[in-house]
Amino acid sequence: MRTRFAPSPTGPLHLGHAYSALLASDMAHAAGGAFLLRIEDIDQSRSRPEWDRQIEADLRWLGLTWPEPVLRQSERLQTYRGALQTLWSRGLLYPCTCRRRDIVEALGAPQEGVPHGPDGLIYPGTCRAETPPSGPLPDGVALRLDMRRALDAAGPAPLTFAETGKAHQEIATNPCDYVEKIGDIAVARKDMSTSYHLSVVLDDAAQGITHVVRGEDLFDATAIHVLLQRLLGLPTPVYHHHRLIRDEHGKRLAKRDDSRAIATYRDEGLGPEDIRRLVDLPELTPPAP
Ligand code: GLU
Ligand code: ZN
Protein backbone atom coordinates (compact mmCIF):
# COMPACT_ATOMS: atom_id res chain seq x y z
CA MET A 1 0.00 0.00 0.00
CA ARG A 2 1.26 3.45 -0.93
CA THR A 3 -0.54 6.51 0.40
CA ARG A 4 0.27 10.19 0.18
CA PHE A 5 -0.40 13.57 1.67
CA ALA A 6 -0.62 16.35 -0.92
CA PRO A 7 -0.92 19.79 0.68
CA SER A 8 -0.81 23.08 -1.19
CA PRO A 9 1.73 25.44 0.42
CA THR A 10 -0.73 28.31 0.74
CA GLY A 11 -0.97 28.50 4.52
CA PRO A 12 -0.05 26.76 7.74
CA LEU A 13 -0.80 23.12 8.40
CA HIS A 14 -3.91 22.97 10.54
CA LEU A 15 -5.69 20.25 12.46
CA GLY A 16 -7.58 19.03 9.40
CA HIS A 17 -4.36 18.54 7.46
CA ALA A 18 -2.73 16.82 10.41
CA TYR A 19 -5.61 14.35 10.57
CA SER A 20 -5.38 13.63 6.85
CA ALA A 21 -1.61 13.13 6.91
CA LEU A 22 -1.61 11.01 10.08
CA LEU A 23 -4.43 8.82 8.80
CA ALA A 24 -2.69 8.27 5.46
CA SER A 25 0.54 7.40 7.25
CA ASP A 26 -1.21 5.10 9.78
CA MET A 27 -2.98 3.23 6.99
CA ALA A 28 0.21 2.72 5.01
CA HIS A 29 2.20 1.57 8.01
CA ALA A 30 -0.54 -0.77 9.24
CA ALA A 31 -0.29 -2.51 5.87
CA GLY A 32 3.52 -2.47 5.79
CA GLY A 33 3.45 0.09 2.99
CA ALA A 34 4.82 3.57 2.38
CA PHE A 35 3.55 7.08 3.03
CA LEU A 36 4.70 9.76 0.58
CA LEU A 37 4.63 13.54 0.48
CA ARG A 38 3.74 15.72 -2.47
CA ILE A 39 3.65 19.51 -2.48
CA GLU A 40 0.89 20.80 -4.76
CA ASP A 41 2.42 24.14 -5.68
CA ILE A 42 1.15 24.70 -9.22
CA ASP A 43 -0.69 27.83 -8.19
CA GLN A 44 2.34 30.11 -8.07
CA SER A 45 0.20 33.11 -7.17
CA ARG A 46 -0.77 31.50 -3.84
CA SER A 47 2.09 29.11 -3.03
CA ARG A 48 4.95 30.30 -0.84
CA PRO A 49 8.26 28.53 -0.13
CA GLU A 50 7.92 29.54 3.54
CA TRP A 51 4.71 27.51 3.83
CA ASP A 52 6.37 24.63 2.02
CA ARG A 53 9.16 24.57 4.65
CA GLN A 54 6.76 25.10 7.53
CA ILE A 55 4.50 22.25 6.38
CA GLU A 56 7.45 19.84 6.18
CA ALA A 57 8.66 20.91 9.62
CA ASP A 58 5.17 20.47 11.10
CA LEU A 59 4.80 17.03 9.53
CA ARG A 60 8.15 15.93 10.95
CA TRP A 61 7.16 17.29 14.35
CA LEU A 62 4.01 15.14 14.13
CA GLY A 63 6.33 12.16 13.76
CA LEU A 64 5.79 11.61 10.04
CA THR A 65 8.51 10.51 7.67
CA TRP A 66 8.46 9.66 3.99
CA PRO A 67 10.97 7.26 2.45
CA GLU A 68 11.11 8.93 -0.98
CA PRO A 69 11.93 12.47 -2.10
CA VAL A 70 9.10 15.01 -1.92
CA LEU A 71 7.38 15.45 -5.28
CA ARG A 72 6.85 19.11 -6.15
CA GLN A 73 4.28 19.84 -8.82
CA SER A 74 6.13 22.96 -9.92
CA GLU A 75 8.89 20.62 -11.18
CA ARG A 76 6.53 18.54 -13.28
CA LEU A 77 5.16 21.07 -15.76
CA GLN A 78 6.64 19.15 -18.73
CA THR A 79 4.71 16.04 -17.74
CA TYR A 80 1.47 17.99 -17.46
CA ARG A 81 2.09 19.56 -20.85
CA GLY A 82 2.66 16.10 -22.35
CA ALA A 83 -0.71 14.93 -21.06
CA LEU A 84 -2.41 18.05 -22.42
CA GLN A 85 -0.79 17.32 -25.77
CA THR A 86 -2.23 13.79 -25.71
CA LEU A 87 -5.74 15.04 -24.97
CA TRP A 88 -5.41 17.86 -27.50
CA SER A 89 -4.26 15.50 -30.27
CA ARG A 90 -7.35 13.39 -29.67
CA GLY A 91 -9.60 16.42 -30.15
CA LEU A 92 -10.80 16.44 -26.55
CA LEU A 93 -9.73 19.98 -25.60
CA TYR A 94 -10.56 23.50 -26.70
CA PRO A 95 -9.20 26.89 -25.66
CA CYS A 96 -11.43 29.06 -23.50
CA THR A 97 -11.01 32.80 -23.06
CA CYS A 98 -14.00 33.37 -20.80
CA ARG A 99 -13.53 35.28 -17.60
CA ARG A 100 -15.47 34.19 -14.57
CA ARG A 101 -17.77 37.15 -15.10
CA ASP A 102 -18.51 36.02 -18.69
CA ILE A 103 -19.43 32.56 -17.46
CA VAL A 104 -21.79 33.89 -14.79
CA GLU A 105 -23.42 36.15 -17.38
CA ALA A 106 -23.76 33.35 -19.92
CA LEU A 107 -25.39 31.20 -17.27
CA GLY A 108 -27.90 34.01 -16.94
CA ALA A 109 -28.43 33.66 -13.22
CA PRO A 110 -27.47 35.71 -10.22
CA GLN A 111 -24.13 34.60 -8.79
CA GLU A 112 -25.73 32.74 -5.84
CA GLY A 113 -28.10 30.76 -8.03
CA VAL A 114 -25.46 29.65 -10.52
CA PRO A 115 -24.95 25.88 -10.77
CA HIS A 116 -21.71 24.62 -9.26
CA GLY A 117 -19.94 21.31 -9.70
CA PRO A 118 -16.71 19.86 -8.32
CA ASP A 119 -14.76 22.13 -10.69
CA GLY A 120 -16.69 25.26 -9.79
CA LEU A 121 -19.20 26.89 -12.12
CA ILE A 122 -20.65 24.51 -14.68
CA TYR A 123 -19.30 25.91 -17.91
CA PRO A 124 -22.03 26.88 -20.41
CA GLY A 125 -19.91 25.93 -23.45
CA THR A 126 -19.44 29.42 -24.89
CA CYS A 127 -16.03 28.67 -26.46
CA ARG A 128 -16.80 25.10 -27.53
CA ALA A 129 -16.84 24.70 -31.32
CA GLU A 130 -18.74 22.14 -33.39
CA THR A 131 -15.53 20.50 -34.52
CA PRO A 132 -12.45 20.17 -32.31
CA PRO A 133 -9.78 22.79 -32.97
CA SER A 134 -6.73 21.75 -34.99
CA GLY A 135 -3.16 23.02 -35.04
CA PRO A 136 -0.57 22.91 -32.29
CA LEU A 137 -1.46 22.84 -28.60
CA PRO A 138 -1.89 26.49 -27.60
CA ASP A 139 -0.01 28.02 -24.71
CA GLY A 140 -1.00 30.71 -22.22
CA VAL A 141 -4.71 30.08 -22.55
CA ALA A 142 -7.19 28.06 -20.51
CA LEU A 143 -8.04 24.67 -21.98
CA ARG A 144 -11.31 22.89 -21.36
CA LEU A 145 -12.18 19.24 -21.69
CA ASP A 146 -15.08 18.68 -24.06
CA MET A 147 -17.03 16.44 -21.71
CA ARG A 148 -19.24 14.74 -24.29
CA ARG A 149 -16.28 13.87 -26.50
CA ALA A 150 -14.28 12.80 -23.48
CA LEU A 151 -17.02 10.39 -22.41
CA ASP A 152 -17.11 8.95 -25.93
CA ALA A 153 -13.35 8.57 -25.93
CA ALA A 154 -13.48 6.89 -22.53
CA GLY A 155 -15.49 4.04 -24.08
CA PRO A 156 -18.51 2.14 -22.85
CA ALA A 157 -17.00 0.48 -19.77
CA PRO A 158 -18.45 2.12 -16.64
CA LEU A 159 -16.25 4.60 -14.80
CA THR A 160 -16.03 3.27 -11.26
CA PHE A 161 -13.76 3.41 -8.24
CA ALA A 162 -13.45 1.56 -4.97
CA GLU A 163 -14.15 3.68 -1.90
CA THR A 164 -13.03 2.51 1.53
CA GLY A 165 -13.81 5.64 3.52
CA LYS A 166 -17.28 6.50 4.71
CA ALA A 167 -19.11 4.68 1.94
CA HIS A 168 -16.96 1.53 1.72
CA GLN A 169 -18.21 0.28 -1.61
CA GLU A 170 -17.64 0.30 -5.33
CA ILE A 171 -18.84 3.68 -6.61
CA ALA A 172 -20.31 3.78 -10.11
CA THR A 173 -20.27 7.27 -11.55
CA ASN A 174 -23.26 8.40 -13.60
CA PRO A 175 -22.48 9.39 -17.24
CA CYS A 176 -25.26 12.01 -17.25
CA ASP A 177 -23.72 13.67 -14.21
CA TYR A 178 -20.52 14.32 -16.13
CA VAL A 179 -22.36 16.54 -18.58
CA GLU A 180 -24.97 18.02 -16.26
CA LYS A 181 -23.24 18.30 -12.90
CA ILE A 182 -19.57 18.67 -13.87
CA GLY A 183 -19.46 20.03 -17.43
CA ASP A 184 -16.44 21.05 -19.49
CA ILE A 185 -13.81 21.35 -16.78
CA ALA A 186 -10.67 23.43 -17.17
CA VAL A 187 -7.67 21.12 -17.47
CA ALA A 188 -5.26 24.02 -17.90
CA ARG A 189 -5.54 27.52 -16.59
CA LYS A 190 -4.26 30.53 -18.43
CA ASP A 191 -1.68 31.33 -15.76
CA MET A 192 -0.52 27.83 -14.87
CA SER A 193 -0.85 25.57 -17.94
CA THR A 194 -2.25 22.74 -15.82
CA SER A 195 -4.98 22.26 -13.25
CA TYR A 196 -5.45 20.50 -9.95
CA HIS A 197 -7.39 17.65 -11.59
CA LEU A 198 -4.84 16.96 -14.32
CA SER A 199 -1.83 17.18 -12.01
CA VAL A 200 -3.30 15.05 -9.26
CA VAL A 201 -4.01 12.04 -11.49
CA LEU A 202 -0.59 12.22 -13.16
CA ASP A 203 1.19 12.55 -9.84
CA ASP A 204 -0.72 9.80 -8.06
CA ALA A 205 0.31 7.54 -10.93
CA ALA A 206 3.92 8.77 -10.93
CA GLN A 207 4.23 8.14 -7.19
CA GLY A 208 2.61 4.73 -7.50
CA ILE A 209 -0.15 5.65 -5.08
CA THR A 210 -2.47 2.69 -4.45
CA HIS A 211 -4.73 4.40 -1.88
CA VAL A 212 -5.68 8.06 -2.04
CA VAL A 213 -6.57 9.20 1.48
CA ARG A 214 -8.14 12.67 1.52
CA GLY A 215 -11.05 14.72 2.83
CA GLU A 216 -14.60 13.96 1.80
CA ASP A 217 -14.86 17.45 0.28
CA LEU A 218 -13.03 15.93 -2.70
CA PHE A 219 -15.39 12.98 -3.09
CA ASP A 220 -17.31 14.59 -5.99
CA ALA A 221 -14.08 15.45 -7.79
CA THR A 222 -13.16 11.76 -7.92
CA ALA A 223 -15.46 11.21 -10.92
CA ILE A 224 -13.29 13.70 -12.82
CA HIS A 225 -10.13 11.91 -11.73
CA VAL A 226 -11.42 8.50 -12.78
CA LEU A 227 -12.31 9.86 -16.22
CA LEU A 228 -8.89 11.48 -16.69
CA GLN A 229 -7.19 8.26 -15.58
CA ARG A 230 -9.15 6.34 -18.22
CA LEU A 231 -8.31 8.88 -20.94
CA LEU A 232 -4.62 8.95 -20.06
CA GLY A 233 -4.23 5.21 -19.49
CA LEU A 234 -3.42 5.62 -15.79
CA PRO A 235 -4.43 3.21 -13.02
CA THR A 236 -7.29 4.20 -10.71
CA PRO A 237 -6.23 3.87 -7.09
CA VAL A 238 -8.54 2.98 -4.22
CA TYR A 239 -10.05 6.10 -2.64
CA HIS A 240 -10.53 6.68 1.06
CA HIS A 241 -12.41 9.91 1.71
CA HIS A 242 -12.36 10.78 5.38
CA ARG A 243 -14.48 13.04 7.56
CA LEU A 244 -13.55 16.69 7.84
CA ILE A 245 -12.30 18.17 11.07
CA ARG A 246 -14.61 20.96 12.18
CA ASP A 247 -14.41 23.58 14.85
CA GLU A 248 -16.74 23.66 17.84
CA HIS A 249 -19.37 25.45 15.74
CA GLY A 250 -19.32 22.69 13.15
CA LYS A 251 -17.52 24.91 10.68
CA ARG A 252 -14.85 23.42 8.44
CA LEU A 253 -11.34 24.50 9.36
CA ALA A 254 -9.78 26.82 6.84
CA LYS A 255 -6.16 27.63 6.18
CA ARG A 256 -6.65 31.17 7.41
CA ASP A 257 -7.84 29.76 10.72
CA ASP A 258 -4.47 30.20 12.38
CA SER A 259 -5.74 29.39 15.86
CA ARG A 260 -5.84 25.77 14.82
CA ALA A 261 -2.50 25.78 13.08
CA ILE A 262 -0.31 22.91 14.24
CA ALA A 263 2.47 25.39 15.01
CA THR A 264 0.15 27.22 17.40
CA TYR A 265 -0.62 24.04 19.33
CA ARG A 266 3.09 23.25 19.46
CA ASP A 267 3.92 26.72 20.74
CA GLU A 268 1.30 26.25 23.43
CA GLY A 269 3.16 23.18 24.64
CA LEU A 270 1.08 20.37 23.16
CA GLY A 271 2.80 17.30 21.74
CA PRO A 272 2.12 15.09 18.72
CA GLU A 273 0.13 12.64 20.85
CA ASP A 274 -2.16 15.50 21.92
CA ILE A 275 -2.82 16.29 18.27
CA ARG A 276 -3.73 12.66 17.62
CA ARG A 277 -6.16 12.82 20.54
CA LEU A 278 -7.70 16.09 19.28
CA VAL A 279 -8.61 14.45 15.97
CA ASP A 280 -9.65 11.13 17.55
CA LEU A 281 -6.85 9.03 16.14
CA PRO A 282 -5.72 6.07 18.26
CA GLU A 283 -2.47 6.36 20.17
CA LEU A 284 0.50 4.88 18.41
CA THR A 285 1.78 1.80 20.17
CA PRO A 286 5.52 2.23 20.57
CA PRO A 287 7.56 -0.32 18.59
CA ALA A 288 8.51 -3.37 20.65
CA PRO A 289 11.98 -3.00 22.19
N1 GLU B 1 -3.74 19.76 -2.73
C1 GLU B 1 -5.09 19.42 -2.35
C2 GLU B 1 -5.51 20.23 -1.16
O1 GLU B 1 -4.71 20.90 -0.57
C3 GLU B 1 -5.24 17.96 -2.02
C4 GLU B 1 -5.56 17.15 -3.19
C5 GLU B 1 -5.80 15.69 -2.95
O2 GLU B 1 -5.56 15.17 -1.86
O3 GLU B 1 -6.22 15.04 -3.91
O4 GLU B 1 -6.66 20.22 -0.81
ZN1 ZN C 1 -14.88 30.22 -22.80
Side-chain angles (χ1 to χ4, degrees):
M1 184 187 290
R2 288 164 71 87
T3 65
R4 47 72 164 179
F5 178 55
S8 304
T10 56
L13 205 70
H14 63 59
L15 220 42
H17 293 111
Y19 174 63
S20 201
L22 289 165
L23 181 64
S25 169
D26 284 4
M27 282 176 63
H29 290 139
F35 164 77
L36 305 180
L37 179 60
R38 175 163 80 233
I39 299 289
E40 301 211 324
D41 58 351
I42 44 174
D43 190 344
Q44 289 295 322
S45 66
R46 296 173 60 227
S47 298
R48 297 276 175 278
E50 309 83 87
W51 291 127
D52 187 330
R53 284 191 292 273
Q54 177 75 55
I55 286 171
E56 271 198 50
D58 288 347
L59 291 172
R60 289 193 197 284
W61 177 79
L62 284 168
L64 294 167
T65 54
W66 38 96
E68 292 172 24
V70 178
L71 192 82
R72 285 200 168 68
Q73 290 193 324
S74 54
E75 293 163 8
R76 305 233 323 131
L77 299 181
Q78 283 307 319
T79 302
Y80 307 146
R81 181 91 185 153
L84 288 172
Q85 181 66 62
T86 301
L87 298 172
W88 175 263
S89 308
R90 293 169 69 189
L92 304 181
L93 307 184
Y94 61 89
C96 170
T97 51
C98 298
R99 296 159 304 174
R100 190 188 157 82
R101 201 182 339 137
D102 303 326
I103 299 176
V104 172
E105 261 171 40
L107 289 167
Q111 188 111 355
E112 317 80 60
V114 170
H116 272 79
D119 190 49
L121 293 172
I122 297 176
Y123 185 64
T126 320
C127 295
R128 186 178 54 225
E130 280 303 313
T131 50
S134 52
L137 173 67
D139 209 0
V141 66
L143 294 168
R144 289 189 180 273
L145 185 70
D146 185 323
M147 197 49 92
R148 283 179 200 276
R149 284 186 207 282
L151 287 173
D152 274 348
L159 292 160
T160 64
F161 63 94
E163 168 69 49
T164 65
K166 271 198 165 172
H168 220 294
Q169 54 181 289
E170 186 78 7
I171 307 284
T173 64
N174 178 349
C176 301
D177 285 355
Y178 279 97
V179 175
E180 286 158 21
K181 299 193 181 148
I182 298 174
D184 292 358
I185 58 159
V187 285
R189 274 170 42 180
K190 183 173 180 242
D191 51 344
M192 56 189 216
S193 63
T194 183
S195 65
Y196 158 63
H197 303 297
L198 184 73
S199 307
V200 84
V201 296
L202 289 164
D203 294 346
D204 282 336
Q207 289 187 294
I209 301 304
T210 62
H211 289 67
V212 170
V213 179
R214 62 185 181 191
E216 63 189 6
D217 53 325
L218 288 168
F219 181 85
D220 288 341
T222 310
I224 299 174
H225 300 164
V226 174
L227 172 62
L228 290 173
Q229 285 152 359
R230 172 78 60 82
L231 293 173
L232 295 167
L234 305 172
T236 293
V238 172
Y239 286 88
H240 186 99
H241 291 95
H242 60 69
R243 68 189 164 85
L244 300 178
I245 303 295
R246 297 174 189 278
D247 68 12
E248 58 276 20
H249 310 293
K251 228 181 107 241
R252 226 189 112 187
L253 297 186
K255 285 218 173 98
R256 56 194 168 277
D257 195 357
D258 286 0
S259 64
R260 285 172 189 79
I262 295 306
T264 309
Y265 287 110
R266 183 185 52 217
D267 294 347
E268 286 169 356
L270 269 65
E273 281 305 326
D274 300 310
I275 303 292
R276 294 185 70 92
R277 210 168 303 122
L278 279 173
V279 296
D280 285 325
L281 276 173
E283 250 174 77
L284 280 189
T285 41

